[in-house]
Amino acid sequence: MPLQKILVIGGAGYIGSHVVKALLENDFAVTVYDNLSTGQKCNLFAAAEFIEGDILDALHLEQVMKNGFAAVVHLAAKKAVGESMENPQLYALNNLIGAINILNAMVNNNVKNIVFSSTAAVYGTPQYVPVDEQHPLNPMSFYGFTKLKIEELMQWYSQLKDFHYISLRYFNAVGYAADGSITGREKNPQNLLPIVMEVATGKREKLQVFGHDYATPDGTCIRDYIHVEDLADAHVAAIRQLLAGIPSQTINLGTNHGTSVLEIIAATERVIGRPINYEFAPRRAGDPAIIVASNNKARRILNWQPRYLNIDNIIQTTWNLEIK
Ligand code: WQD
């Protein structure tokens, strides 16, 4: 049987490149579509076809979709929460218009299945934890709003057309492929662990810990850090389920387990064997004290479970990149 063809939009990015790796390892034929704005050439795999293109180029997408893909994975988006509040126009354009272009090109060319990268940011401040998929949706950022609107759009398309989706709501993605095959670091990182790594390697003088008076055991925020290879595995499982004819779904991807900022610092210190320079700073606007996923639905529907449960091991896969 010929290999099934998957189009990974945003496949040169941090999560996208790990998804491409997992798909190739599971015998899919992969085409990457990426404009290399944040994605990087060093993240491309020789075994995957690469098309340089922009999701705002609707005509190009229409052409690309004619290649008979069994499914699309869409990870091409702007994703910095703070930036989305300062420049919502950029997020409306890239995330909303870009997604509309992709969905329309799919429907127009009879590409029926999509795995969409959504986010825990659709929930806003949790009313309870762990957060399951029934939790009320109340994004606190424009970024989260864009992802929620795309989920709603996909829901409509799935009712109106022969169109099927699995929306994966990521919690905090961390780590790198354990075999060292993916090396691209994000430029100007905004997330905690890449910033901690910059401090560890001397690129940055110190980490600012945003708030230490939260109602958590050590006063710092608790998040659900999930290894990017676990995220990638879930995409493969989601594609398999879509190709098997499962109804459209929305699924959290997390570990059911929370780690505080100070615990991340302590774990990094254990891994690298020296202290991380940090100071306490004021709270960051919009940060909930604690958000942790319930991943029961992912386990049930995708028959998936995270392989990485130890935060030191997760951080080690990131640190390995720095000591190569
Ligand atoms: C983690 C913790 C910060 C930087 C975001 C999105 C979410 C998902 C993951 C994709 C928080 C603290 C951070 C720093 C700090 N993304 N921190 N000093 O905000 O939990 O989640 O990325 O869709 O949707 O909202 O991730 O890595 O920015 O922060 O103290 O310099 O680290 O306050 O408690 P966040 P993060």
PDB file of all heavy atoms in Angstrom, residues 79 81 118-121 143 147 170-173 190-193 195 204 207-211 214 221-223 225 261 284 287-288 291, ligand 1:
ATOM      1  N   LYS A  79       2.136  32.700  18.608  1.00  0.00           N
ATOM      2  CA  LYS A  79       1.757  32.046  19.863  1.00  0.00           C
ATOM      3  C   LYS A  79       2.220  32.742  21.144  1.00  0.00           C
ATOM      4  O   LYS A  79       2.178  32.136  22.228  1.00  0.00           O
ATOM      5  CB  LYS A  79       2.242  30.605  19.863  1.00  0.00           C
ATOM      6  CG  LYS A  79       3.750  30.476  19.907  1.00  0.00           C
ATOM      7  CD  LYS A  79       4.127  29.072  20.315  1.00  0.00           C
ATOM      8  CE  LYS A  79       5.598  28.868  20.439  1.00  0.00           C
ATOM      9  NZ  LYS A  79       6.236  29.534  21.569  1.00  0.00           N
ATOM     10  N   VAL A  81       1.537  35.057  24.063  1.00  0.00           N
ATOM     11  CA  VAL A  81       0.351  35.618  24.716  1.00  0.00           C
ATOM     12  C   VAL A  81       0.469  37.141  24.856  1.00  0.00           C
ATOM     13  O   VAL A  81      -0.449  37.884  24.498  1.00  0.00           O
ATOM     14  CB  VAL A  81       0.168  34.940  26.093  1.00  0.00           C
ATOM     15  CG1 VAL A  81      -0.863  35.659  26.929  1.00  0.00           C
ATOM     16  CG2 VAL A  81      -0.192  33.474  25.906  1.00  0.00           C
ATOM     17  N   SER A 118      -4.285  23.491  19.189  1.00  0.00           N
ATOM     18  CA  SER A 118      -4.965  24.462  20.031  1.00  0.00           C
ATOM     19  C   SER A 118      -4.206  24.564  21.350  1.00  0.00           C
ATOM     20  O   SER A 118      -3.065  24.084  21.454  1.00  0.00           O
ATOM     21  CB  SER A 118      -6.427  24.044  20.221  1.00  0.00           C
ATOM     22  OG  SER A 118      -7.129  25.073  20.891  1.00  0.00           O
ATOM     23  N   THR A 119      -4.814  25.164  22.325  1.00  0.00           N
ATOM     24  CA  THR A 119      -4.043  25.546  23.510  1.00  0.00           C
ATOM     25  C   THR A 119      -4.883  25.538  24.774  1.00  0.00           C
ATOM     26  O   THR A 119      -6.103  25.779  24.726  1.00  0.00           O
ATOM     27  CB  THR A 119      -3.491  26.968  23.294  1.00  0.00           C
ATOM     28  OG1 THR A 119      -2.898  27.432  24.501  1.00  0.00           O
ATOM     29  CG2 THR A 119      -4.574  27.959  22.910  1.00  0.00           C
ATOM     30  N   ALA A 120      -4.221  25.350  25.885  1.00  0.00           N
ATOM     31  CA  ALA A 120      -4.855  25.495  27.200  1.00  0.00           C
ATOM     32  C   ALA A 120      -5.330  26.926  27.420  1.00  0.00           C
ATOM     33  O   ALA A 120      -6.172  27.169  28.290  1.00  0.00           O
ATOM     34  CB  ALA A 120      -3.865  25.113  28.287  1.00  0.00           C
ATOM     35  N   ALA A 121      -4.793  27.864  26.625  1.00  0.00           N
ATOM     36  CA  ALA A 121      -5.175  29.270  26.797  1.00  0.00           C
ATOM     37  C   ALA A 121      -6.654  29.509  26.471  1.00  0.00           C
ATOM     38  O   ALA A 121      -7.181  30.573  26.794  1.00  0.00           O
ATOM     39  CB  ALA A 121      -4.288  30.164  25.935  1.00  0.00           C
ATOM     40  N   TYR A 143      -4.580  35.773  21.891  1.00  0.00           N
ATOM     41  CA  TYR A 143      -4.050  34.525  21.335  1.00  0.00           C
ATOM     42  C   TYR A 143      -5.027  33.364  21.580  1.00  0.00           C
ATOM     43  O   TYR A 143      -5.406  32.637  20.656  1.00  0.00           O
ATOM     44  CB  TYR A 143      -2.681  34.210  21.971  1.00  0.00           C
ATOM     45  CG  TYR A 143      -2.249  32.796  21.766  1.00  0.00           C
ATOM     46  CD1 TYR A 143      -1.907  32.337  20.503  1.00  0.00           C
ATOM     47  CD2 TYR A 143      -2.216  31.893  22.831  1.00  0.00           C
ATOM     48  CE1 TYR A 143      -1.545  31.016  20.306  1.00  0.00           C
ATOM     49  CE2 TYR A 143      -1.846  30.584  22.640  1.00  0.00           C
ATOM     50  CZ  TYR A 143      -1.513  30.148  21.379  1.00  0.00           C
ATOM     51  OH  TYR A 143      -1.161  28.845  21.180  1.00  0.00           O
ATOM     52  N   LYS A 147      -7.481  30.925  18.876  1.00  0.00           N
ATOM     53  CA  LYS A 147      -7.523  29.454  18.818  1.00  0.00           C
ATOM     54  C   LYS A 147      -8.946  28.945  19.043  1.00  0.00           C
ATOM     55  O   LYS A 147      -9.390  27.989  18.388  1.00  0.00           O
ATOM     56  CB  LYS A 147      -6.567  28.858  19.856  1.00  0.00           C
ATOM     57  CG  LYS A 147      -5.096  29.111  19.547  1.00  0.00           C
ATOM     58  CD  LYS A 147      -4.613  28.213  18.413  1.00  0.00           C
ATOM     59  CE  LYS A 147      -3.168  28.447  18.065  1.00  0.00           C
ATOM     60  NZ  LYS A 147      -2.644  27.518  17.071  1.00  0.00           N
ATOM     61  N   TYR A 170      -2.877  21.994  23.741  1.00  0.00           N
ATOM     62  CA  TYR A 170      -1.589  21.764  24.395  1.00  0.00           C
ATOM     63  C   TYR A 170      -1.518  22.529  25.709  1.00  0.00           C
ATOM     64  O   TYR A 170      -1.883  23.699  25.766  1.00  0.00           O
ATOM     65  CB  TYR A 170      -0.412  22.281  23.562  1.00  0.00           C
ATOM     66  CG  TYR A 170      -0.309  21.860  22.125  1.00  0.00           C
ATOM     67  CD1 TYR A 170       0.408  22.662  21.241  1.00  0.00           C
ATOM     68  CD2 TYR A 170      -0.862  20.680  21.649  1.00  0.00           C
ATOM     69  CE1 TYR A 170       0.564  22.315  19.912  1.00  0.00           C
ATOM     70  CE2 TYR A 170      -0.709  20.326  20.313  1.00  0.00           C
ATOM     71  CZ  TYR A 170      -0.005  21.150  19.454  1.00  0.00           C
ATOM     72  OH  TYR A 170       0.157  20.818  18.142  1.00  0.00           O
ATOM     73  N   PHE A 171      -0.934  21.897  26.706  1.00  0.00           N
ATOM     74  CA  PHE A 171      -0.523  22.622  27.904  1.00  0.00           C
ATOM     75  C   PHE A 171       0.925  23.090  27.639  1.00  0.00           C
ATOM     76  O   PHE A 171       1.202  23.507  26.528  1.00  0.00           O
ATOM     77  CB  PHE A 171      -0.789  21.757  29.152  1.00  0.00           C
ATOM     78  CG  PHE A 171      -2.271  21.809  29.500  1.00  0.00           C
ATOM     79  CD1 PHE A 171      -3.225  21.286  28.628  1.00  0.00           C
ATOM     80  CD2 PHE A 171      -2.730  22.451  30.629  1.00  0.00           C
ATOM     81  CE1 PHE A 171      -4.593  21.392  28.883  1.00  0.00           C
ATOM     82  CE2 PHE A 171      -4.098  22.559  30.900  1.00  0.00           C
ATOM     83  CZ  PHE A 171      -5.028  22.031  30.034  1.00  0.00           C
ATOM     84  N   ASN A 172       1.831  23.067  28.587  1.00  0.00           N
ATOM     85  CA  ASN A 172       3.134  23.718  28.344  1.00  0.00           C
ATOM     86  C   ASN A 172       4.134  22.743  27.721  1.00  0.00           C
ATOM     87  O   ASN A 172       4.658  21.868  28.411  1.00  0.00           O
ATOM     88  CB  ASN A 172       3.680  24.283  29.653  1.00  0.00           C
ATOM     89  CG  ASN A 172       2.826  25.436  30.175  1.00  0.00           C
ATOM     90  OD1 ASN A 172       1.636  25.280  30.424  1.00  0.00           O
ATOM     91  ND2 ASN A 172       3.417  26.585  30.321  1.00  0.00           N
ATOM     92  N   ALA A 173       4.398  22.932  26.441  1.00  0.00           N
ATOM     93  CA  ALA A 173       5.312  22.040  25.707  1.00  0.00           C
ATOM     94  C   ALA A 173       6.758  22.350  26.090  1.00  0.00           C
ATOM     95  O   ALA A 173       7.173  23.517  26.069  1.00  0.00           O
ATOM     96  CB  ALA A 173       5.126  22.230  24.211  1.00  0.00           C
ATOM     97  N   GLN A 190       9.905  33.329  24.858  1.00  0.00           N
ATOM     98  CA  GLN A 190       9.063  33.995  25.861  1.00  0.00           C
ATOM     99  C   GLN A 190       8.690  33.023  26.976  1.00  0.00           C
ATOM    100  O   GLN A 190       8.153  33.424  27.981  1.00  0.00           O
ATOM    101  CB  GLN A 190       7.737  34.442  25.204  1.00  0.00           C
ATOM    102  CG  GLN A 190       7.884  35.131  23.870  1.00  0.00           C
ATOM    103  CD  GLN A 190       7.992  36.623  24.025  1.00  0.00           C
ATOM    104  OE1 GLN A 190       7.396  37.201  24.927  1.00  0.00           O
ATOM    105  NE2 GLN A 190       8.752  37.262  23.172  1.00  0.00           N
ATOM    106  N   ASN A 191       8.929  31.744  26.734  1.00  0.00           N
ATOM    107  CA  ASN A 191       8.470  30.732  27.689  1.00  0.00           C
ATOM    108  C   ASN A 191       9.545  30.408  28.727  1.00  0.00           C
ATOM    109  O   ASN A 191      10.735  30.646  28.503  1.00  0.00           O
ATOM    110  CB  ASN A 191       8.042  29.448  26.957  1.00  0.00           C
ATOM    111  CG  ASN A 191       6.825  29.686  26.085  1.00  0.00           C
ATOM    112  OD1 ASN A 191       6.931  29.701  24.867  1.00  0.00           O
ATOM    113  ND2 ASN A 191       5.691  29.906  26.702  1.00  0.00           N
ATOM    114  N   LEU A 192       9.085  29.850  29.826  1.00  0.00           N
ATOM    115  CA  LEU A 192       9.959  29.686  30.997  1.00  0.00           C
ATOM    116  C   LEU A 192      11.228  28.862  30.717  1.00  0.00           C
ATOM    117  O   LEU A 192      12.336  29.337  30.952  1.00  0.00           O
ATOM    118  CB  LEU A 192       9.156  29.043  32.147  1.00  0.00           C
ATOM    119  CG  LEU A 192       9.960  28.757  33.409  1.00  0.00           C
ATOM    120  CD1 LEU A 192      10.506  30.041  34.021  1.00  0.00           C
ATOM    121  CD2 LEU A 192       9.096  28.014  34.427  1.00  0.00           C
ATOM    122  N   LEU A 193      11.066  27.644  30.218  1.00  0.00           N
ATOM    123  CA  LEU A 193      12.257  26.781  30.154  1.00  0.00           C
ATOM    124  C   LEU A 193      13.328  27.300  29.182  1.00  0.00           C
ATOM    125  O   LEU A 193      14.525  27.304  29.522  1.00  0.00           O
ATOM    126  CB  LEU A 193      11.875  25.326  29.844  1.00  0.00           C
ATOM    127  CG  LEU A 193      13.001  24.334  30.119  1.00  0.00           C
ATOM    128  CD1 LEU A 193      13.485  24.391  31.569  1.00  0.00           C
ATOM    129  CD2 LEU A 193      12.573  22.922  29.767  1.00  0.00           C
ATOM    130  N   ILE A 195      13.977  30.318  28.580  1.00  0.00           N
ATOM    131  CA  ILE A 195      14.616  31.446  29.271  1.00  0.00           C
ATOM    132  C   ILE A 195      15.571  30.920  30.352  1.00  0.00           C
ATOM    133  O   ILE A 195      16.702  31.397  30.489  1.00  0.00           O
ATOM    134  CB  ILE A 195      13.550  32.398  29.868  1.00  0.00           C
ATOM    135  CG1 ILE A 195      12.817  33.116  28.721  1.00  0.00           C
ATOM    136  CG2 ILE A 195      14.172  33.406  30.829  1.00  0.00           C
ATOM    137  CD1 ILE A 195      11.635  33.967  29.151  1.00  0.00           C
ATOM    138  N   ARG A 204      21.803  35.105  29.218  1.00  0.00           N
ATOM    139  CA  ARG A 204      20.936  36.027  29.947  1.00  0.00           C
ATOM    140  C   ARG A 204      21.430  36.030  31.391  1.00  0.00           C
ATOM    141  O   ARG A 204      21.844  34.987  31.902  1.00  0.00           O
ATOM    142  CB  ARG A 204      19.506  35.476  29.863  1.00  0.00           C
ATOM    143  CG  ARG A 204      18.423  36.400  30.304  1.00  0.00           C
ATOM    144  CD  ARG A 204      17.108  35.641  30.286  1.00  0.00           C
ATOM    145  NE  ARG A 204      16.547  35.477  28.960  1.00  0.00           N
ATOM    146  CZ  ARG A 204      15.462  36.108  28.524  1.00  0.00           C
ATOM    147  NH1 ARG A 204      14.825  36.945  29.306  1.00  0.00           N
ATOM    148  NH2 ARG A 204      14.993  35.875  27.325  1.00  0.00           N
ATOM    149  N   LEU A 207      16.976  35.048  35.604  1.00  0.00           N
ATOM    150  CA  LEU A 207      15.557  34.779  35.348  1.00  0.00           C
ATOM    151  C   LEU A 207      14.740  35.637  36.303  1.00  0.00           C
ATOM    152  O   LEU A 207      15.092  35.770  37.475  1.00  0.00           O
ATOM    153  CB  LEU A 207      15.277  33.296  35.625  1.00  0.00           C
ATOM    154  CG  LEU A 207      13.809  32.889  35.716  1.00  0.00           C
ATOM    155  CD1 LEU A 207      13.171  32.879  34.329  1.00  0.00           C
ATOM    156  CD2 LEU A 207      13.673  31.523  36.365  1.00  0.00           C
ATOM    157  N   GLN A 208      13.679  36.200  35.787  1.00  0.00           N
ATOM    158  CA  GLN A 208      12.714  36.851  36.667  1.00  0.00           C
ATOM    159  C   GLN A 208      11.578  35.874  36.926  1.00  0.00           C
ATOM    160  O   GLN A 208      10.942  35.403  35.961  1.00  0.00           O
ATOM    161  CB  GLN A 208      12.169  38.107  36.002  1.00  0.00           C
ATOM    162  CG  GLN A 208      13.221  39.187  35.855  1.00  0.00           C
ATOM    163  CD  GLN A 208      12.592  40.545  35.666  1.00  0.00           C
ATOM    164  OE1 GLN A 208      11.697  40.705  34.837  1.00  0.00           O
ATOM    165  NE2 GLN A 208      13.022  41.512  36.441  1.00  0.00           N
ATOM    166  N   VAL A 209      11.332  35.588  38.166  1.00  0.00           N
ATOM    167  CA  VAL A 209      10.214  34.708  38.527  1.00  0.00           C
ATOM    168  C   VAL A 209       9.004  35.606  38.756  1.00  0.00           C
ATOM    169  O   VAL A 209       9.006  36.430  39.688  1.00  0.00           O
ATOM    170  CB  VAL A 209      10.543  33.888  39.794  1.00  0.00           C
ATOM    171  CG1 VAL A 209       9.329  33.082  40.238  1.00  0.00           C
ATOM    172  CG2 VAL A 209      11.737  32.978  39.538  1.00  0.00           C
ATOM    173  N   PHE A 210       8.018  35.434  37.906  1.00  0.00           N
ATOM    174  CA  PHE A 210       6.873  36.349  37.941  1.00  0.00           C
ATOM    175  C   PHE A 210       5.901  35.974  39.061  1.00  0.00           C
ATOM    176  O   PHE A 210       5.008  35.157  38.870  1.00  0.00           O
ATOM    177  CB  PHE A 210       6.148  36.339  36.594  1.00  0.00           C
ATOM    178  CG  PHE A 210       6.977  36.798  35.429  1.00  0.00           C
ATOM    179  CD1 PHE A 210       6.875  36.167  34.190  1.00  0.00           C
ATOM    180  CD2 PHE A 210       7.865  37.862  35.546  1.00  0.00           C
ATOM    181  CE1 PHE A 210       7.637  36.587  33.106  1.00  0.00           C
ATOM    182  CE2 PHE A 210       8.636  38.290  34.468  1.00  0.00           C
ATOM    183  CZ  PHE A 210       8.524  37.646  33.243  1.00  0.00           C
ATOM    184  N   GLY A 211       6.070  36.575  40.210  1.00  0.00           N
ATOM    185  CA  GLY A 211       5.146  36.392  41.336  1.00  0.00           C
ATOM    186  C   GLY A 211       5.570  35.249  42.238  1.00  0.00           C
ATOM    187  O   GLY A 211       5.892  34.168  41.759  1.00  0.00           O
ATOM    188  N   TYR A 214       1.517  33.631  45.106  1.00  0.00           N
ATOM    189  CA  TYR A 214       0.314  32.915  44.654  1.00  0.00           C
ATOM    190  C   TYR A 214      -0.101  31.893  45.713  1.00  0.00           C
ATOM    191  O   TYR A 214       0.732  31.457  46.530  1.00  0.00           O
ATOM    192  CB  TYR A 214       0.588  32.187  43.332  1.00  0.00           C
ATOM    193  CG  TYR A 214       0.632  33.102  42.125  1.00  0.00           C
ATOM    194  CD1 TYR A 214       1.857  33.516  41.598  1.00  0.00           C
ATOM    195  CD2 TYR A 214      -0.542  33.527  41.511  1.00  0.00           C
ATOM    196  CE1 TYR A 214       1.906  34.355  40.487  1.00  0.00           C
ATOM    197  CE2 TYR A 214      -0.499  34.364  40.398  1.00  0.00           C
ATOM    198  CZ  TYR A 214       0.726  34.764  39.893  1.00  0.00           C
ATOM    199  OH  TYR A 214       0.772  35.587  38.805  1.00  0.00           O
ATOM    200  N   CYS A 221       3.761  30.020  40.339  1.00  0.00           N
ATOM    201  CA  CYS A 221       2.706  29.421  39.502  1.00  0.00           C
ATOM    202  C   CYS A 221       3.012  27.967  39.149  1.00  0.00           C
ATOM    203  O   CYS A 221       4.171  27.595  38.923  1.00  0.00           O
ATOM    204  CB  CYS A 221       2.588  30.186  38.194  1.00  0.00           C
ATOM    205  SG  CYS A 221       1.863  31.806  38.371  1.00  0.00           S
ATOM    206  N   ILE A 222       1.955  27.210  39.058  1.00  0.00           N
ATOM    207  CA  ILE A 222       2.063  25.789  38.706  1.00  0.00           C
ATOM    208  C   ILE A 222       1.504  25.568  37.305  1.00  0.00           C
ATOM    209  O   ILE A 222       0.420  26.044  36.977  1.00  0.00           O
ATOM    210  CB  ILE A 222       1.318  24.931  39.751  1.00  0.00           C
ATOM    211  CG1 ILE A 222       2.058  25.019  41.091  1.00  0.00           C
ATOM    212  CG2 ILE A 222       1.172  23.486  39.273  1.00  0.00           C
ATOM    213  CD1 ILE A 222       1.376  24.307  42.232  1.00  0.00           C
ATOM    214  N   ARG A 223       2.297  24.851  36.491  1.00  0.00           N
ATOM    215  CA  ARG A 223       1.893  24.542  35.107  1.00  0.00           C
ATOM    216  C   ARG A 223       2.082  23.052  34.845  1.00  0.00           C
ATOM    217  O   ARG A 223       2.826  22.364  35.557  1.00  0.00           O
ATOM    218  CB  ARG A 223       2.774  25.317  34.105  1.00  0.00           C
ATOM    219  CG  ARG A 223       2.616  26.814  34.172  1.00  0.00           C
ATOM    220  CD  ARG A 223       1.279  27.259  33.627  1.00  0.00           C
ATOM    221  NE  ARG A 223       1.110  28.708  33.703  1.00  0.00           N
ATOM    222  CZ  ARG A 223       0.596  29.346  34.762  1.00  0.00           C
ATOM    223  NH1 ARG A 223       0.223  28.675  35.837  1.00  0.00           N
ATOM    224  NH2 ARG A 223       0.461  30.653  34.757  1.00  0.00           N
ATOM    225  N   TYR A 225       3.782  20.718  32.455  1.00  0.00           N
ATOM    226  CA  TYR A 225       4.822  20.675  31.425  1.00  0.00           C
ATOM    227  C   TYR A 225       4.820  19.306  30.764  1.00  0.00           C
ATOM    228  O   TYR A 225       5.051  18.293  31.426  1.00  0.00           O
ATOM    229  CB  TYR A 225       6.189  20.985  32.051  1.00  0.00           C
ATOM    230  CG  TYR A 225       6.249  22.401  32.597  1.00  0.00           C
ATOM    231  CD1 TYR A 225       5.930  22.684  33.929  1.00  0.00           C
ATOM    232  CD2 TYR A 225       6.557  23.464  31.751  1.00  0.00           C
ATOM    233  CE1 TYR A 225       5.954  23.989  34.415  1.00  0.00           C
ATOM    234  CE2 TYR A 225       6.576  24.781  32.230  1.00  0.00           C
ATOM    235  CZ  TYR A 225       6.271  25.025  33.557  1.00  0.00           C
ATOM    236  OH  TYR A 225       6.289  26.321  34.018  1.00  0.00           O
ATOM    237  N   VAL A 261       7.214  27.088  39.263  1.00  0.00           N
ATOM    238  CA  VAL A 261       8.391  27.744  38.672  1.00  0.00           C
ATOM    239  C   VAL A 261       9.641  27.418  39.502  1.00  0.00           C
ATOM    240  O   VAL A 261      10.693  27.082  38.943  1.00  0.00           O
ATOM    241  CB  VAL A 261       8.180  29.275  38.566  1.00  0.00           C
ATOM    242  CG1 VAL A 261       9.432  29.954  38.020  1.00  0.00           C
ATOM    243  CG2 VAL A 261       6.976  29.608  37.702  1.00  0.00           C
ATOM    244  N   ARG A 284       2.971  38.456  36.428  1.00  0.00           N
ATOM    245  CA  ARG A 284       2.730  38.785  35.021  1.00  0.00           C
ATOM    246  C   ARG A 284       1.217  38.812  34.800  1.00  0.00           C
ATOM    247  O   ARG A 284       0.512  37.901  35.255  1.00  0.00           O
ATOM    248  CB  ARG A 284       3.386  37.708  34.149  1.00  0.00           C
ATOM    249  CG  ARG A 284       3.373  37.983  32.676  1.00  0.00           C
ATOM    250  CD  ARG A 284       4.188  36.943  31.922  1.00  0.00           C
ATOM    251  NE  ARG A 284       3.578  35.623  31.943  1.00  0.00           N
ATOM    252  CZ  ARG A 284       4.050  34.560  31.284  1.00  0.00           C
ATOM    253  NH1 ARG A 284       5.149  34.668  30.561  1.00  0.00           N
ATOM    254  NH2 ARG A 284       3.443  33.409  31.339  1.00  0.00           N
ATOM    255  N   ASP A 287      -1.645  35.648  34.298  1.00  0.00           N
ATOM    256  CA  ASP A 287      -1.146  34.325  34.694  1.00  0.00           C
ATOM    257  C   ASP A 287      -2.067  33.697  35.742  1.00  0.00           C
ATOM    258  O   ASP A 287      -2.174  34.224  36.853  1.00  0.00           O
ATOM    259  CB  ASP A 287       0.252  34.459  35.329  1.00  0.00           C
ATOM    260  CG  ASP A 287       1.377  34.101  34.381  1.00  0.00           C
ATOM    261  OD1 ASP A 287       1.110  33.472  33.336  1.00  0.00           O
ATOM    262  OD2 ASP A 287       2.524  34.449  34.700  1.00  0.00           O
ATOM    263  N   PRO A 288      -2.714  32.576  35.464  1.00  0.00           N
ATOM    264  CA  PRO A 288      -3.420  31.880  36.548  1.00  0.00           C
ATOM    265  C   PRO A 288      -2.413  31.236  37.494  1.00  0.00           C
ATOM    266  O   PRO A 288      -1.308  30.884  37.085  1.00  0.00           O
ATOM    267  CB  PRO A 288      -4.240  30.809  35.816  1.00  0.00           C
ATOM    268  CG  PRO A 288      -3.599  30.633  34.491  1.00  0.00           C
ATOM    269  CD  PRO A 288      -2.839  31.899  34.177  1.00  0.00           C
ATOM    270  N   ILE A 291      -2.602  25.822  36.520  1.00  0.00           N
ATOM    271  CA  ILE A 291      -3.394  25.167  35.464  1.00  0.00           C
ATOM    272  C   ILE A 291      -2.724  23.835  35.120  1.00  0.00           C
ATOM    273  O   ILE A 291      -1.538  23.784  34.791  1.00  0.00           O
ATOM    274  CB  ILE A 291      -3.658  26.075  34.237  1.00  0.00           C
ATOM    275  CG1 ILE A 291      -4.432  25.294  33.179  1.00  0.00           C
ATOM    276  CG2 ILE A 291      -2.425  26.731  33.683  1.00  0.00           C
ATOM    277  CD1 ILE A 291      -5.170  26.156  32.170  1.00  0.00           C
TER     278      ILE A 291
HETATM  279  C1  WQD B   1       5.223  29.369  32.574  1.00  0.00           C
HETATM  280  C2  WQD B   1       5.353  29.876  33.997  1.00  0.00           C
HETATM  281  C3  WQD B   1       5.149  32.255  34.188  1.00  0.00           C
HETATM  282  C4  WQD B   1       8.766  33.336  32.056  1.00  0.00           C
HETATM  283  C5  WQD B   1       1.839  29.686  27.552  1.00  0.00           C
HETATM  284  C6  WQD B   1       0.508  29.811  26.879  1.00  0.00           C
HETATM  285  C7  WQD B   1      -0.147  28.457  26.780  1.00  0.00           C
HETATM  286  C8  WQD B   1       0.776  27.456  26.123  1.00  0.00           C
HETATM  287  C9  WQD B   1       2.063  27.419  26.836  1.00  0.00           C
HETATM  288  C10 WQD B   1       0.746  27.562  23.682  1.00  0.00           C
HETATM  289  C11 WQD B   1       4.350  30.959  34.337  1.00  0.00           C
HETATM  290  C12 WQD B   1       6.517  31.804  34.604  1.00  0.00           C
HETATM  291  C13 WQD B   1       7.746  32.617  32.639  1.00  0.00           C
HETATM  292  C14 WQD B   1       9.666  34.055  32.882  1.00  0.00           C
HETATM  293  C15 WQD B   1       8.475  33.254  34.817  1.00  0.00           C
HETATM  294  N1  WQD B   1       1.190  27.841  24.814  1.00  0.00           N
HETATM  295  N2  WQD B   1       7.601  32.578  33.999  1.00  0.00           N
HETATM  296  N3  WQD B   1       9.490  33.974  34.248  1.00  0.00           N
HETATM  297  O1  WQD B   1       2.095  31.318  30.136  1.00  0.00           O
HETATM  298  O2  WQD B   1       2.034  29.056  31.278  1.00  0.00           O
HETATM  299  O3  WQD B   1       1.643  29.199  28.869  1.00  0.00           O
HETATM  300  O4  WQD B   1       2.635  28.735  26.870  1.00  0.00           O
HETATM  301  O5  WQD B   1      -0.263  27.618  23.196  1.00  0.00           O
HETATM  302  O6  WQD B   1      -1.286  28.580  26.045  1.00  0.00           O
HETATM  303  O7  WQD B   1      -0.328  30.666  27.635  1.00  0.00           O
HETATM  304  O8  WQD B   1       3.927  29.574  29.711  1.00  0.00           O
HETATM  305  O9  WQD B   1       6.365  29.428  29.719  1.00  0.00           O
HETATM  306  O10 WQD B   1       5.270  31.720  29.548  1.00  0.00           O
HETATM  307  O11 WQD B   1       5.174  30.485  31.703  1.00  0.00           O
HETATM  308  O12 WQD B   1       8.356  33.236  36.046  1.00  0.00           O
HETATM  309  O13 WQD B   1      10.584  34.731  32.431  1.00  0.00           O
HETATM  310  O14 WQD B   1       6.634  30.493  34.127  1.00  0.00           O
HETATM  311  O15 WQD B   1       4.683  33.283  35.036  1.00  0.00           O
HETATM  312  O16 WQD B   1       3.976  30.777  35.667  1.00  0.00           O
HETATM  313  P1  WQD B   1       2.373  29.874  30.090  1.00  0.00           P
HETATM  314  P2  WQD B   1       5.244  30.334  30.099  1.00  0.00           P
END
